[in-house]
Amino acid sequence: MTVPDRGDSRSVAVVTGGNRGIGAEVARQLAEHGYTVVLGSRDLAQGEQAAARLDASRQQVLACQLDVDDPASVTAMASWIGRNLGRADALVNNAAIDYDTDAYAVSADLGRVQRALDTNLLGAWRTVQALLPLLRRSPHPRIVNVSSGGGSIARMTGGTPGYSVSKAALNALTRLLAGELRGDRVLVNAVCPGWTDTDMGQGGRPVAAGAASVTWAVLLGDDGPTGGFFRDGKPVPW
Ligand code: NAP
């Protein structure tokens, strides 16, 4: 990846799983708001294609290989950003797998549950840890964990066990990080995009609307909330 020499100091946002779905649209919206966006993609070629589609100038959306399950890939991404951009101001933990509508907690394949936890919880956690040194140096740092109403313990009634438990755990991580990073001025929130028409959420609302729910939490002012769970800018029950 060639980094454009713009000689400016735009804020940098990292979006995991940015090659398609909500992540790609969040990348587009953040670029529109003036961010330099690092578009993380497991498959670099797909990431490059998405970046070209979102930003024909190739100045503002930069693809980076990123598999959040792979510690070496996450470390390499953080080093690459440190070396080439020198800053990270926002992290959107968007990458996730396996909306397991065919499964139930009473009979779930625990290997499958473990894979969901690996990506949806530990992948996000690992990416936060890798980028924290840069985020802590940002004047307006933001972490957005893309969660789901499926992770709301208050609303669980059974079904989608791996996905729901992984998102509930991501919500718990959001609370812990928000508390621990308050002193560093990092606003950390969980956001549900709502049922959105992607490969994962076929038939839902337009991708732009789901993504806007997420982008909102990146664009918060310094007096914005931290440690909350939101959809479309409004609180969702934990
Ligand atoms: P999607 O269309 O299935 O896209 C998922 C993205 O995550 C893809 O870019 C995928 O990359 C990436 N990904 C998966 N595993 C990864 C890994 N190990 N490392 C890096 N990237 C990985 O899903 P979506 O609907 O856009 O969902 C985005 C977020 O919104 C997720 O957190 C999801 O749980 C949440 N959400 C969605 C809905 C909905 O209705 N769509 C509702 C509530 C919450 P590949 O292309 O390489 O597979």
Side-chain angles (χ1 to χ4, degrees):
M1 162 55 54
T2 312
V3 176
D5 179 15
R6 294 182 312 257
D8 66 10
S9 56
R10 266 183 224 160
S11 296
V12 171
V14 180
V15 182
T16 71
N19 54 297
R20 60 188 170 99
I22 291 166
E25 176 60 15
V26 168
R28 195 195 65 74
Q29 291 181 5
L30 290 175
E32 201 170 80
H33 279 92
Y35 281 80
T36 295
V37 178
V38 176
L39 183 156
S41 177
R42 280 201 275 210
D43 179 318
L44 182 57
Q46 285 182 26
E48 298 277 13
Q49 281 165 20
R53 207 170 54 241
L54 298 172
D55 169 30
S57 76
R58 305 306 302 274
Q59 297 287 299
Q60 241 184 300
V61 181
L62 314 173
C64 181
Q65 198 284 331
L66 178 61
D67 180 342
V68 299
D69 290 357
D70 176 2
S73 169
V74 174
T75 305
M77 174 275 300
S79 308
W80 183 87
I81 292 174
R83 271 196 321 276
N84 292 292
L85 301 173
R87 64 188 291 174
D89 302 278
L91 166 62
V92 179
N93 279 313
N94 165 79
I97 57 165
D98 202 5
Y99 186 48
D100 50 350
T101 52
D102 57 333
Y104 295 92
V106 290
S107 53
D109 169 350
L110 297 186
R112 184 177 176 189
V113 172
Q114 187 155 16
R115 285 191 290 282
L117 288 167
D118 278 346
T119 302
N120 302 357
L121 172 66
L122 300 182
W125 201 332
R126 175 179 296 119
T127 308
V128 168
Q129 289 183 342
L131 284 174
L132 258 186
L134 290 173
L135 287 166
R136 282 191 161 113
R137 295 212 302 263
S138 164
H140 311 286
R142 309 284 180 260
I143 296 173
V144 182
N145 291 329
V146 182
S147 183
S148 166
S152 167
I153 291 175
R155 295 192 170 169
M156 284 180 193
T157 54
T160 62
Y163 186 78
S164 297
V165 168
S166 72
K167 293 296 190 180
L170 182 66
N171 286 354
L173 176 66
T174 302
R175 296 285 299 171
L176 296 174
L177 292 172
E180 294 176 16
L181 294 172
R182 200 177 282 271
D184 292 316
R185 305 159 293 101
V186 188
L187 302 184
V188 188
N189 290 292
V191 171
C192 172
W195 180 35
T196 302
D197 190 15
T198 62
D199 294 335
M200 183 183 283
Q202 290 172 17
R205 64 180 178 164
V207 176
S213 185
V214 175
T215 301
W216 169 85
V218 173
L219 301 178
L220 288 173
D222 289 342
D223 57 351
T226 190
F229 184 20
F230 299 94
R231 182 186 301 118
D232 297 331
K234 301 188 183 72
V236 177
W238 292 107

